[in-house]
Amino acid sequence: GAGVSQSPRYKVAKRGQDVALRCDPISGHVSLFWYQQALGQGPEFLTYFQNEAQLDKSGLPSDRFFAERPEGSVSTLKIQRTQQEDSAVYLCASSLKAERAFFGPGTRLTVL
Amino acid sequence: AQSVTQLGSHVSVSEGALVLLRCNYSSSVPPYLFWYVQYPNQGLQLLLKYTSAATLVKGINGFEAEFKKSETSFHLTKPSAHMSDAAEYFCAVRGYHSSASKIIFGSGTRLSIRP
């Protein structure tokens, strides 16, 4: 595709449920980022991949959050035992060069 | 550590007036600097970027920003505001030497345009 795509666009989960969010980066982009954006806030870094290697996961808020990119393209962000504070928009971005990252439309997660 | 500070969480200007959104960065070396715009329920769109080629950077929709190393600032301006400029604006910084470095965002400034 022409840009970064994310699915689903909207997800409603009951507290305690596991969710999986998918990111399809731009083809050929080596770098992939996940961000969490709470309502009215700026995006907060979660984790970064270079190809299939997860080089930085310092932003993951707890061990309930897990991300993978097994073949260096599609990435999945998994949240186990969701809690209400996990409600946010989850943004994915991909990049070929440091001077430009392309963001997807995000997945809006609502935990009831 | 790199960081950006956006002064003013909400700015309101009249249509046709000057837009000025402030951003100061903290970095040990001149970094990559960005301004992104986010319309309601949409993703982040790149307005412009500074990559050390020129200190005055022109972006889309008539916006521009000037990199001032002495002031560690990268303020966003537009000479004449349009109603369609109403959105959330984010200043961001990224390390210069490594494509592996993460992008750090400011807390955002909501721009409102008065008719």
Side-chain angles (χ1 to χ4, degrees), chain A residues 84-107:
Chain A
Q84 284 190 323
E85 60 262 33
D86 300 335
S87 295
V89 175
Y90 291 85
L91 298 168
C92 176
S94 70
S95 171
L96 184 60
K97 298 180 181 180
E99 63 187 64
R100 178 75 191 263
F102 296 81
F103 282 81
T107 294

Side-chain angles (χ1 to χ4, degrees), chain B residues 26-65:
Chain B
S26 172
S27 176
S28 56
V29 294
Y32 289 122
L33 289 162
F34 310 90
W35 275 99
Y36 283 87
V37 61
Q38 188 175 39
Y39 298 100
N41 299 315
Q42 294 188 25
L44 293 163
Q45 181 181 359
L46 181 68
L47 269 180
L48 49 79
K49 61 183 179 182
Y50 166 76
T51 59
S52 78
T55 56
L56 182 61
V57 181
K58 294 187 182 297
I60 61 172
N61 301 338
F63 284 94
E64 64 181 36

Side-chain angles (χ1 to χ4, degrees), chain A residues 59-75:
Chain A
L60 296 177
S62 76
D63 59 6
R64 296 186 296 104
F65 286 71
F66 172 76
E68 60 183 5
R69 194 186 185 198
E71 297 179 356
S73 55
V74 172
S75 177

Side-chain angles (χ1 to χ4, degrees), chain A residues 25-105:
Chain A
I26 294 172
S27 178
H29 278 195
V30 170
S31 301
L32 186 144
F33 304 83
W34 282 99
Y35 285 81
Q36 180 190 59
Q37 186 176 20
L39 188 64
Q41 303 294 319
E44 295 285 342
F45 171 80
L46 292 177
T47 187
Y48 161 77
F49 290 87
Q50 186 169 348
N51 295 307
E52 68 278 4
Q54 189 174 19
L55 299 186
D56 187 344
K57 54 182 181 179
S58 62
L60 296 177
S62 76
D63 59 6
R64 296 186 296 104
F65 286 71
F66 172 76
E68 60 183 5
R69 194 186 185 198
E71 297 179 356
S73 55
V74 172
S75 177
T76 304
L77 176 67
K78 298 179 179 178
I79 309 173
Q80 298 177 324
R81 305 181 303 280
T82 53
Q83 300 177 5
Q84 284 190 323
E85 60 262 33
D86 300 335
S87 295
V89 175
Y90 291 85
L91 298 168
C92 176
S94 70
S95 171
L96 184 60
K97 298 180 181 180
E99 63 187 64
R100 178 75 191 263
F102 296 81
F103 282 81

